[in-house]
Amino acid sequence: MPLKWRYVRLNPRFDRDETLELLKSEIEASNTTTVDNEDEVDFLISVPWLRSSQHGFEFFAIPEEFGLNKSESFQSGRIYGMDATSGAAVAALLFDMFDRDKKDADGKGCESVKDRPAKTLRVLDMCCAPGLKL
């Protein structure tokens, strides 16, 4: 049976490793998922395209049937249940063309962009749908 996933965002105000350890233990303790070879399945998967260490922004996929609202991780505010598409919109807003080094015209060296002044970005969210706002 193929696994179905839901997504959670880590709260950057808590220690990342402690949160992941707690969440993983909770998922393993409540696991009712039946798969062909459970030894090869990781039930806590980082979503690499929804991660920014600079902004403390990180998502993980967890099994859909995990009782998120009953977990200590959720109740203590360590994680937020959030759809990946909501996170993708925020990730796109956080991306800045200066988040990476650029090669110079000759392609030989890299231009340092770390000392450039930060740009101000203002976003007006006019969506009235219920849900968590980042």
Side-chain angles (χ1 to χ4, degrees):
M1 176 177 164
L3 289 175
K4 292 185 179 181
W5 302 96
R6 71 186 319 169
Y7 299 91
V8 295
R9 177 183 177 227
L10 300 186
N11 184 341
R13 293 187 178 124
F14 290 89
D15 182 79
R16 177 189 184 276
D17 295 334
E18 288 177 11
T19 298
L20 290 175
E21 186 177 318
L22 175 62
L23 181 57
K24 188 171 185 172
S25 69
E26 290 177 312
I27 291 170
E28 290 172 353
S30 70
N31 184 18
T32 58
T33 304
T34 305
V35 293
D36 294 336
N37 191 353
E38 196 167 306
D39 293 336
E40 296 178 9
V41 176
D42 188 356
F43 293 107
L44 181 61
I45 301 171
S46 177
V47 182
W49 53 275
L50 285 176
R51 179 176 51 222
S52 170
S53 58
Q54 177 185 358
H55 299 98
F57 184 80
E58 190 168 14
F59 273 72
F60 285 84
I62 62 173
E64 184 178 60
E65 69 271 357
F66 175 65
L68 183 62
N69 62 338
K70 297 177 182 174
S71 73
E72 182 182 339
S73 300
F74 179 79
Q75 290 179 356
S76 65
R78 289 179 171 271
I79 60 173
Y80 309 109
M82 185 176 286
D83 189 72
T85 55
S86 298
V90 174
L93 289 171
L94 290 176
F95 178 77
D96 181 344
M97 63 186 219
F98 298 113
D99 283 346
R100 63 186 187 284
D101 287 341
K102 296 180 179 182
K103 290 185 179 180
D104 61 17
D106 298 329
K108 295 179 181 176
C110 287
E111 172 189 358
S112 176
V113 295
K114 294 179 179 162
D115 296 329
R116 291 190 181 175
K119 295 182 180 180
T120 301
L121 176 68
R122 292 186 182 149
V123 177
L124 175 60
D125 183 354
M126 297 180 67
C127 181
C128 295
L132 180 70
K133 303 294 182 200
L134 294 174

